Amino acid sequence: MKLHDISVVVPVYNEEKGLPELFERLRTAVEKVSRDAEFIFVNDASKDGSLELIRQLAETDKRVRYISFSRNFGHQIAVTAGLEHSRGKAVVIIDGDLQDPPELIPALYEEYCKGFKVVYARRKSRAGESWFKKSTARLFYRLLKRLTHVHIPIDTGDFRLIDRQIVEQLRLMPEPNKFLRGQIAWMGFRQTFVEFDRDARKYGKTGYPLKKMMRFALDGITAFSDLPLKFATAAGFLVSAIALLVIFYALFSHFVLNHTITGWTSLIVSSMFIGGIQLFAIGIIGEYIGRINNSVRNRPLYIMEENNVDQEEAK
Ligand code: UDP
Ligand code: MG
């Protein structure tokens, strides 16, 4: 298999309005680096005309390759599919909504040429993002840093350039609940960053509503840390210790002081508290078990309904 100089992987979910501009800007930026490039669009079952547009791009430019999913499998899986089918010595992952400026690619490539295996794009500022999103993201990355030993760079998304070697390593990590930025950080290698100002989304709306964000955050935590499980154990110990003290006090008060409290308040408070802690602990365990279950089923990560990558790869 002959490798291209550079591949660009773009996950696409309802991005029809921005796609033509995106491709123009991508092409211009990438050609500054090399003409031997490929552009891989992964359509994550968009509900708008994105697929139609991607097909047109593929017809006008032979370097455009695409995959279209049978349903929405999510951003991380879309990127994974693109990576699996990429054939570049260097691979750029970039969002399809123009929030990540394609013009940064030459700068990323320059660092790559200095020998870095991972060059991530760090957000100096984030325009057009809600206060809520920015503060929860900051909180989450702080928490993750405390919970794990993997150093995941703050203020970065998946916009980055990675070496072929990283792509091959990712293939060997088949976990279904992907947290790519964590997996890449976990691998080590020489990493560096280039800073940029993140634009606001130009068209359309985010494909990451709160629910998806929460799931993504939990994927990140469970994939890299067992600390929540240890928290359940610690909470169990603490509550048991308190319970033991209360039991001694109750027995002492009953048998020695001959004084029995007719307390409804103490009963309801303690049973509610213990019930809450128990459910919380079961919930934590459940998050892990659900992911184990997901791994054990061993289903394919995604299903392609249409693509123009298979025929070429068969050649
Ligand atoms: N995306 C995707 N599948 C999804 C949601 C999003 O492929 O289910 C794509 C989307 O088209 C974009 C990128 O992933 O290229 C990042 O998503 P988005 O911009 O919606 O997230 P945000 O920037 O708001 O975090
Ligand atoms: Mg976006």
Side-chain angles (χ1 to χ4, degrees):
M1 185 176 75
K2 194 191 154 296
L3 290 178
H4 297 288
D5 285 339
I6 185 166
S7 306
V8 182
V9 170
V10 194
V12 174
Y13 180 59
N14 299 342
E15 309 283 7
E16 64 176 357
K17 292 211 186 72
L19 265 178
E21 176 185 341
L22 172 75
F23 185 60
E24 260 328 293
R25 285 172 59 183
L26 267 181
R27 191 160 63 177
T28 317
V30 169
E31 279 174 4
K32 289 197 176 127
V33 170
S34 167
R35 294 192 66 85
D36 181 21
E38 63 169 4
F39 303 88
I40 305 177
F41 290 89
V42 184
N43 173 38
D44 193 6
S46 298
K47 298 192 188 88
D48 64 0
S50 298
L51 177 59
E52 190 51 46
L53 280 171
I54 293 172
R55 280 197 204 111
Q56 282 169 18
L57 291 179
E59 273 187 17
T60 52
D61 193 326
K62 287 288 160 253
R63 295 173 301 176
V64 172
R65 304 168 71 223
Y66 72 93
I67 292 165
S68 185
F69 285 171
S70 60
R71 67 165 171 85
N72 183 261
F73 281 89
H75 167 236
Q76 296 284 299
I77 300 293
V79 173
T80 304
L83 292 177
E84 281 178 357
H85 292 274
S86 69
R87 298 174 304 184
K89 290 177 204 149
V91 183
V92 173
I93 304 169
I94 186 168
D95 278 359
D97 60 355
L98 292 167
Q99 280 196 286
D100 302 333
E103 291 71 27
L104 198 72
I105 293 176
L108 297 176
Y109 198 80
E110 202 176 304
E111 294 299 313
Y112 162 76
C113 291
K114 289 182 194 159
F116 290 100
K117 301 256 158 155
V118 180
V119 189
Y120 50 89
R122 195 159 102 185
R123 301 159 183 172
K124 238 182 346 188
S125 66
R126 298 174 82 166
E129 219 101 59
S130 69
W131 168 85
F132 180 74
K133 183 152 188 166
K134 278 192 277 199
S135 49
T136 47
R138 177 168 316 143
L139 202 72
F140 170 67
Y141 284 104
R142 290 259 160 80
L143 179 72
L144 200 63
K145 202 171 167 187
R146 284 183 162 243
L147 290 181
T148 67
H149 301 296
V150 192
H151 176 68
I152 298 170
I154 303 260
D155 289 329
T156 61
D158 287 322
F159 182 25
R160 57 185 64 204
L161 182 150
I162 55 181
D163 183 79
R164 176 96 238 135
Q165 195 175 0
I166 304 279
V167 179
E168 297 302 334
Q169 287 299 328
L170 280 174
R171 276 173 179 275
L172 301 178
M173 298 166 78
E175 52 215 70
N177 294 87
K178 297 277 176 210
F179 191 69
L180 290 169
R181 58 198 74 166
Q183 288 177 281
I184 294 173
W186 178 87
M187 281 181 214
F189 290 114
R190 271 180 21 108
Q191 315 208 350
T192 189
F193 64 90
V194 172
E195 282 191 318
F196 76 110
D197 292 301
R198 193 164 209 235
D199 294 327
R201 193 175 236 289
K202 245 187 151 159
Y203 313 96
K205 63 176 198 305
T206 174
Y208 261 103
L210 188 62
K211 205 171 134 201
K212 274 191 190 170
M213 254 165 64
M214 294 270 288
R215 192 177 333 138
F216 185 52
L218 281 173
D219 281 343
I221 293 174
T222 51
F224 290 95
S225 171
D226 287 334
L227 229 73
L229 288 171
K230 295 192 180 118
F231 168 80
T233 317
F237 270 115
L238 186 71
V239 174
S240 305
I242 296 171
L244 204 68
L245 290 179
V246 175
I247 289 168
F248 279 133
Y249 170 72
L251 291 177
F252 182 77
S253 158
H254 182 74
F255 289 110
V256 182
L257 304 178
N258 279 327
H259 166 65
T260 308
I261 310 162
T262 50
W264 180 81
T265 314
S266 55
L267 272 182
I268 198 80
V269 167
S270 53
S271 69
M272 286 287 156
F273 179 67
I274 292 171
I277 287 273
Q278 278 174 340
L279 285 182
F280 191 63
I282 293 173
I284 293 177
I285 299 168
E287 291 295 333
Y288 283 87
I289 294 184
R291 284 169 176 81
I292 297 173
N293 193 24
N294 200 7
S295 304
V296 170
R297 280 197 293 250
N298 213 3
R299 290 186 189 152
L301 281 181
Y302 53 88
I303 298 172
M304 296 196 278
E305 184 170 4
E306 180 188 325
N307 70 79
N308 74 348
V309 294
D310 275 355
Q311 312 93 304
E312 294 169 49
E313 277 165 18
K315 269 184 215 162

